[in-house]
């Protein structure tokens, strides 16, 4: 299933720790343990995103039916276990091909095997790739292409990156093709902050797992409890930020280097941008998409945007 492999070697988990403002790219959150913790996050009472998006998908079937009004290929970016996709596959006709794209080759192979058993009539072709880097699609034989990018994953891109990324996706498409994009909305800060600092401490464990990962991969022995989880909404930037805050002055020994960390100094580990429809119109304008329809829950916590290629 290794048809179109195009993976860029990830930059080092340590590199940002040598900069003036320490940071670790959020992509390092998803090792095996981190991916499991994220799965747990999606079930938390405070983390409304996943269940809200699933409900929006399920409650707007007529919208998806009209998107797939002709023989189509559904292409999912970062498919994971394809849980939300099953809502589309179960209820919408005309999806003749399903192309899940995921960086984890092993996970992808398992998902493809399982899905092919459940949906024998759909042609399923996994692509193992880092979709944030340029990649190519298999020949889809003139079928309408619908890109599915759920989960508000777009929120992890910096605004300029999001533009460039969607511009790249646009270049894989032709007029008539569409994009279904899930976004977490701007809202009352206390609601957002609770979703990233849950009472059970799962998000804290998810964040601190970066330290565990550094210890494992770089033979370090940093005290995981010497950092605390900090999450706050930065309203001027329109994003929630996650940081690891040092509880004391300490010197980290990693990969043959020493890194000085002051008490209360923070390592920035994630940004998750929130998007309102105005922001999406803007993003579409600069990347070659026109916002066609927005479907949301009644509280407008989350939106699924339908965007057409212009
Ligand atoms: C997977 C990027 C959508 O930003 O909400 C969850 C990751 N970080 N809790 C998000 C995350 C902390 C999540 N995304």
């Amino acid at each position: 299933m290794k048809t179109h492999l195009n993976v860029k070697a990830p930059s080092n988990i340590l590199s940002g720790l040598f900069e003036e403002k320490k940071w670790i790219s959020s992509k390092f959150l998803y090792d095996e343990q981190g991916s499991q913790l994220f799965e747990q996050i999606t079930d938390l009472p405070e983390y409304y995103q996943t269940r809200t998006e699933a409900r929006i998908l399920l409650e707007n079937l007529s919208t998806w039916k009209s998107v797939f009004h002709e023989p189509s290929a559904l292409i999912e970016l970062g498919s994971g276990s394809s849980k939300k996709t099953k809502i589309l596959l179960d209820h919408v006709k005309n999806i003749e091909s399903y192309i899940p794209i995921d960086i984890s080759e092993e996970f992808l192979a398992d998902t493809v095997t399982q899905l092919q058993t459940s949906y024998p009539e759909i042609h399923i072709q996994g692509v193992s790739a880092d979709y944030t880097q340029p990649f190519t699609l298999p020949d889809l034989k003139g079928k309408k292409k619908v890109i599915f990018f759920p989960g508000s994953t777009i929120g992890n891109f910096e605004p300029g990156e999001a533009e460039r990324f969607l511009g790249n996706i646009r270049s894989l498409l032709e007029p008539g093709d569409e994009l279904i994009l899930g976004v977490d909305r701007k809202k009352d800060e206390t609601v957002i902050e609770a979703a990233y600092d849950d009472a059970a401490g799962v998000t804290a464990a998810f964040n601190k797992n970066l330290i565990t990962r550094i210890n494992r991969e770089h033979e370090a022995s940093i005290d995981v409890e010497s950092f605390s989880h900090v999450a706050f909404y930065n309203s001027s930037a329109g994003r929630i930020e996650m940081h690891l805050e040092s509880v004391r002055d300490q010197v980290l020994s990693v990969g043959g280097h020493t890194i000085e960390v002051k008490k209360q100094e923070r390592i920035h580990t994630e940004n998750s941008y929130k998007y309102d429809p105005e922001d999406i119109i803007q993003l579409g304008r600069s990347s070659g998409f026109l916002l066609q329809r927005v479907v949301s829950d009644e509280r407008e916590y989350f939106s699924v945007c339908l965007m057409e290629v212009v």
Side-chain angles (χ1 to χ4, degrees):
M1 212 36 79
K2 200 173 165 183
T3 15
H4 296 264
L5 192 61
N6 208 339
V7 185
K8 188 194 160 209
S11 68
N12 199 299
I13 188 170
L14 299 178
S15 41
L17 298 180
F18 299 99
E19 293 179 26
E20 166 77 8
K21 286 198 161 187
K22 295 181 176 63
W23 68 291
I24 298 173
S25 165
S26 62
K27 72 180 171 194
F28 292 107
L29 289 164
Y30 302 92
D31 62 354
E32 205 178 307
Q33 178 67 13
S35 301
Q36 272 175 29
L37 287 165
F38 179 66
E39 279 299 305
Q40 288 181 41
I41 287 173
T42 64
D43 284 331
L44 292 169
E46 296 95 335
Y47 198 79
Y48 54 86
Q49 287 90 323
T50 311
R51 78 183 73 88
T52 305
E53 184 177 43
R55 203 154 48 73
I56 294 167
L57 289 171
L58 200 52
E59 288 175 359
N60 290 277
L61 293 177
S62 62
T63 300
W64 321 128
K65 285 176 185 168
S66 67
V67 170
F68 297 96
H69 65 274
E70 59 181 294
S72 305
L74 174 64
I75 300 143
E76 181 169 10
L77 309 178
S79 45
S81 61
S82 302
K83 235 196 240 157
K84 292 164 196 155
T85 322
K86 287 178 193 151
I87 298 173
L88 298 177
L89 299 180
D90 282 342
H91 295 95
V92 180
K93 280 181 261 176
N94 284 327
I95 301 177
E96 294 190 347
S97 298
Y98 172 49
I99 322 287
I101 304 182
D102 204 275
I103 194 159
S104 165
E105 210 173 323
E106 214 184 303
F107 199 65
L108 181 67
D110 287 351
T111 308
V112 169
T113 311
Q114 283 178 29
L115 283 175
Q116 196 64 85
T117 312
S118 311
Y119 304 93
E121 66 294 347
I122 301 176
H123 181 237
I124 304 177
Q125 191 176 359
V127 174
S128 163
D130 176 356
Y131 62 80
T132 65
Q133 300 300 317
F135 64 93
T136 47
L137 289 172
D139 180 16
L140 297 165
K141 310 211 166 58
K143 286 192 271 271
K144 172 175 180 172
K145 294 193 270 296
V146 180
I147 305 270
F148 186 42
F149 194 31
S152 198
T153 309
I154 190 80
N156 273 168
F157 292 82
E158 291 304 303
E161 286 174 3
E163 246 175 69
R164 231 170 311 122
F165 168 69
L166 287 190
N168 286 339
I169 296 300
R170 164 66 187 85
S171 70
L172 299 170
L173 305 177
E174 285 130 306
D177 293 339
E178 297 190 81
L179 165 67
I180 300 173
L181 179 69
V183 295
D184 193 17
R185 297 281 295 266
K186 290 176 174 145
K187 63 179 74 63
D188 182 349
E189 301 187 3
T190 58
V191 174
I192 303 180
E193 286 177 350
Y196 293 83
D197 194 7
D198 60 281
V202 183
T203 309
F206 177 63
N207 197 7
K208 290 181 188 178
N209 179 53
L210 286 168
I211 302 295
T212 309
R213 182 169 179 176
I214 290 173
N215 284 342
R216 186 181 61 246
E217 294 181 355
H218 297 275
E219 282 125 34
S221 49
I222 304 165
D223 175 8
V224 174
E225 296 313 318
S226 70
F227 286 95
S228 57
H229 169 68
V230 174
F232 58 87
Y233 188 67
N234 175 339
S235 58
S236 59
R239 68 189 192 208
I240 186 101
E241 300 185 9
M242 282 203 324
H243 298 257
L244 289 166
E245 185 176 299
S246 185
V247 301
R248 48 176 149 89
D249 286 347
Q250 54 181 323
V251 180
L252 315 178
S253 304
V254 274
H257 299 89
T258 55
I259 299 164
E260 244 188 80
V261 187
K262 291 276 157 229
K263 182 176 177 174
Q264 290 187 320
E265 186 178 349
R266 289 172 179 175
I267 302 172
H268 193 167
T269 54
E270 187 181 49
N271 285 328
S272 184
Y273 285 85
K274 306 308 168 193
Y275 283 94
D276 277 340
E278 308 81 275
D279 307 319
I280 294 295
I281 290 171
Q282 203 39 55
L283 183 59
R285 245 183 223 138
S286 48
S287 58
F289 289 97
L290 183 69
L291 179 60
Q292 217 188 329
R293 183 179 292 201
V294 180
V295 287
S296 314
D297 56 302
E298 59 287 341
R299 295 184 295 189
E300 299 192 321
Y301 277 10
F302 201 96
S303 292
V304 180
C305 302
L306 185 58
M307 314 194 51
E308 66 180 10
V309 165
V310 286

